[in-house]
Amino acid sequence: MGHLDHAAYGWLTPVLSYAMASIGAALGLRCTVRALAATTRSSRRNWLLTAASAIGTGIWTMHFVAMLGFNVTGTEIHYNVPLTVLSLLVAVLVVGAGVFAVGYGRGRSRALVIGGLTTGLGVASMHYLGMAALRLHGSISYAPLVVGLSVVIAVVAATAALWAALNIKSSVAVAAASLVMGAAVSSMHYTGMLAVAVHVAPSGQTLPGATAMQFIFPLAVGLGSYLFITSAFVALSPTADERAASASASGPAPAGRRVGERATAAPAH
């Protein structure tokens, strides 16, 4: 059995992965809050799509940044590229299903249960699909009870995040909820990794797939940049209340000018 190291670079990958999960959660929760306050269906849909992509991308980036620090003594580790990309799509799609269930659900409690269960199972599916993408000299096995615990953590974390989106409005509260969500997602990941056992079978054959630095690292950097740029856009975008306040402040002035213009125009005739 190969010795597993989950933090080959020390605290660097756990801290960075937690930061990615928290940023994705913060952006997703903020977008969901904007969606629930939207006055048009198209605006609500667009905010929910952004929320799904942010949370899904943040969770996926968290997982694979953490995997940059995963090392097994006695074998290299490569990644199957199509399966890795599929895990990203699964993360975004299932999170989207959960977010839309909350965004358009009629009964909040029912929508929360459905959304939390869907999103949590999706997060767990993304994790284990990402693990299925690993290519190494040997075989991987899992402890079923620990796998089950990781799935429960994923469902609870997803439900808590969606509850926060429905009930928390202030920026400070959203930030606090995002830190908790980041911790929950990270806990799910490392709990899932505790279930892993690798039986190394040394071989001189070249492993298929790409190394982490060839594929995972550039993709994680790109998705992390997307999160930062989208966060800046959301932070600078005015809320519905701010737009309403701006419209009410600027509304009377044009009306006054039009009345004045008619008043001065009348004597000319």
Side-chain angles (χ1 to χ4, degrees), residues 3-151:
H3 171 71
L4 308 185
D5 188 350
H6 298 288
Y9 299 103
W11 284 100
L12 178 62
T13 49
V15 169
L16 282 178
S17 62
Y18 170 70
M20 289 296 101
S22 298
I23 291 170
L27 178 56
L29 292 179
R30 200 65 188 149
C31 290
T32 305
V33 170
R34 295 285 188 92
L36 295 175
T39 56
T40 64
R41 290 186 64 85
S42 61
S43 179
R44 172 169 292 199
R45 181 199 63 222
N46 292 339
W47 280 118
L48 290 175
L49 287 173
T50 306
S53 66
I55 297 175
T57 297
I59 292 171
W60 187 93
T61 306
M62 177 273 142
H63 171 80
F64 281 99
V65 168
M67 290 303 293
L68 291 174
F70 180 65
N71 184 61
V72 181
T73 303
T75 178
E76 291 183 301
I77 297 176
H78 285 197
Y79 292 86
N80 179 285
V81 174
L83 268 182
T84 304
V85 173
L86 179 60
S87 70
L88 172 59
L89 296 178
V90 166
V92 173
L93 289 175
V94 296
V95 168
V99 167
F100 271 79
V102 168
Y104 287 103
R106 294 182 180 276
R108 282 200 167 191
S109 298
R110 182 170 178 269
L112 186 60
V113 170
I114 294 174
L117 184 61
T118 301
T119 304
L121 292 176
V123 170
S125 299
M126 179 280 302
H127 174 88
Y128 289 105
L129 189 57
M131 291 300 295
L134 263 65
R135 297 293 180 264
L136 46 76
H137 294 303
S139 60
I140 299 176
S141 60
Y142 296 91
L145 290 178
V146 183
V147 170
L149 178 60
S150 70
V151 174

Side-chain angles (χ1 to χ4, degrees), residues 36 108 112 162-170:
L36 295 175
R108 282 200 167 191
L112 186 60
L162 294 176
W163 177 90
L166 286 172
N167 295 280
I168 293 177
K169 305 303 179 186
S170 73

